[in-house]
């Protein structure tokens, strides 16, 4: 695999890099994306029945069971070479901010620290009434059957139903994480946008802010349509193949 020399120089010399990831970075770990035509979660399930506060109020067992099955699938999965390359990149640059839309913990398990989770996490549920965090018992390392209904646990403080710690449609993103992500995007000189369709706002503003502030924006995506404007680069392919090769080419020691 060969890369443009100018791009390699920019990566090597970057003062502050931002990596912005979406579901595609976890695809090679066996976690489904949302919008890929056949395999994407939102082509098989209706988000309005699973990913809104109204859906949880109407059918908590359905919603809790679906997220619990996704959490168990993540627990049975491992970080792939794409996650590992991103953790490695943090050691090579003076500053790196990792912003993810993903709700799994594969970046952390690959060794990344201080990951900004803009859309919450499967691993940190909270009470739907008083917002107290709820500690889940370690799940058995077996995959839950998709679609199995499961009663949500009850909050130990107030008895309310515990809900997934996910940002649902119609809900606000965590303010501190979003502000830090926007500030990093405005400050960085290079942003890698990895495995995202870039259609969900306000998260999708992160690469736009970087571009607007003069940073080089590089998309890593097998879909050629992922390229935004003319000032952007596209490295077409799977993150687990492109990222390790890119690091190897830029930082060959
Ligand atoms: P999408 O499913 O919208 O997009 C996934 C992207 O990953 C697509 O552009 C694919 O082409 C690309 N892709 C697939 N396999 C890849 C691979 N091996 N390497 C690199 N890229 C690959 O997922 P997101 O952009 O993450 O929100 O979706 C954004 C948000 O929409 C999610 O965070 C979720 C969803 O509704 C919440 O859960 C709140």
């Amino acid at each position: 695999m060969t890369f443009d020399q100018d791009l390699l120089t920019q990566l090597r010399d970057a003062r502050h890099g931002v990596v912005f990831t979406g579901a595609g970075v976890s695809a090679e770990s066996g976690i489904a994306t949302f919008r890929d035509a056949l395999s994407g979660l939102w082509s098989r399930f209706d988000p309005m029945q699973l990913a809104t506060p109204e859906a949880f109020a109407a059918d908590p067992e359905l919603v809790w069971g679906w997220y619990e099955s996704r959490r168990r699938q993540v627990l049975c999965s491992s970080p792939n070479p794409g996650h590992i390359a991103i953790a490695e990149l943090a050691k090579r640059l003076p500053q790196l901010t990792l912003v993810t839309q993903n709700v799994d913990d594969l970046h952390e398990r690959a060794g990344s620290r201080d990951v900004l989770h803009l859309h919450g996490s499967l691993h940190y549920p909270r009470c739907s009434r008083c917002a107290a965090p709820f500690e889940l018992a370690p799940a058995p390392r077996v995959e839950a059957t998709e679609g199995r209904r499961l009663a949500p646990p009850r909050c130990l403080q107030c008895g309310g139903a515990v809900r997934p710690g996910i940002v649902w449609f119609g809900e606000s993103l965590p303010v501190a994480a979003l502000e830090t992500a926007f500030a990093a995007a405005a400050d960085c000189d290079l942003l890698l946008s990895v495995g995202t369709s870039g259609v969900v706002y306000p998260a999708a503003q992160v690469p736009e802010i970087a571009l607007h502030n003069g940073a080089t924006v590089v998309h890593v995506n097998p879909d050629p349509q992922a390229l935004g404007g003319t000032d952007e680069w596209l490295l077409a392919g799977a993150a687990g193949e492109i990222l390790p090769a890119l690091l190897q080419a830029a930082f060959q020691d």
Side-chain angles (χ1 to χ4, degrees):
M1 208 177 286
T2 51
F3 299 96
D4 187 283
Q5 282 304 323
D6 183 35
L7 176 62
L8 294 179
T9 306
Q10 289 192 49
L11 180 59
R12 212 173 8 246
D13 295 346
R15 169 189 54 84
H16 180 184
V18 169
V19 181
F20 175 63
T21 64
V25 78
S26 294
E28 289 154 90
S29 295
I31 312 290
T33 63
F34 293 93
R35 294 177 184 78
D36 280 283
L38 293 175
S39 58
L41 290 174
W42 295 157
S43 58
R44 294 186 290 136
F45 300 99
D46 178 359
M48 291 305 123
Q49 287 184 2
L50 293 165
T52 67
E54 294 77 18
F56 184 68
D59 195 342
E61 285 86 7
L62 176 76
V63 173
W64 182 262
W66 190 71
Y67 280 99
E68 187 60 6
S69 117
R70 286 182 56 200
R71 183 178 76 92
R72 289 179 187 205
Q73 192 196 12
V74 167
L75 290 174
C76 295
S77 307
S78 303
N80 67 56
H83 296 108
I84 293 165
I86 291 168
E88 182 60 32
L89 182 60
K91 298 181 197 156
R92 304 294 187 141
L93 300 184
Q95 189 180 359
L96 184 132
T97 306
L98 175 52
V99 183
T100 189
Q101 298 162 90
N102 295 348
V103 295
D104 62 50
D105 61 352
L106 296 178
H107 281 308
E108 283 86 350
R109 283 200 266 145
S112 289
R113 296 282 161 262
D114 303 321
V115 185
L116 297 168
H117 281 271
L118 296 186
H119 290 164
S121 165
L122 288 168
H123 306 283
Y124 297 102
R126 65 176 186 277
C127 177
S128 61
R129 194 189 293 160
C130 75
F134 182 85
E135 198 165 326
L136 288 164
R141 291 182 73 84
V142 288
E143 285 186 28
T145 320
E146 245 179 26
R148 191 173 131 229
R149 304 169 75 84
L150 214 54
R154 290 278 151 191
C155 173
L156 300 176
Q157 321 278 330
C158 78
V162 172
R163 58 159 282 177
I166 305 291
V167 177
W168 281 329
F169 290 101
E171 294 187 318
S172 303
L173 276 62
V175 175
L178 189 64
E179 282 178 355
T180 308
F182 282 178
D187 179 65
C188 75
D189 37 20
L190 186 135
L191 181 141
L192 285 173
S193 175
V194 183
T196 178
S197 56
V199 295
V200 175
Y201 284 82
Q205 274 178 265
V206 170
E208 292 175 358
I209 291 171
L211 202 60
H212 183 75
N213 284 275
T216 299
V217 172
V218 185
H219 299 267
V220 179
N221 200 308
D223 179 359
Q225 291 177 346
L227 188 58
T230 47
D231 298 341
E232 300 166 61
W233 299 73
L234 172 66
L235 301 179
E241 291 167 16
I242 299 271
L243 291 175
L246 181 66
L247 257 74
Q248 170 70 25
F251 301 99
Q252 16 177 274
D253 339 80

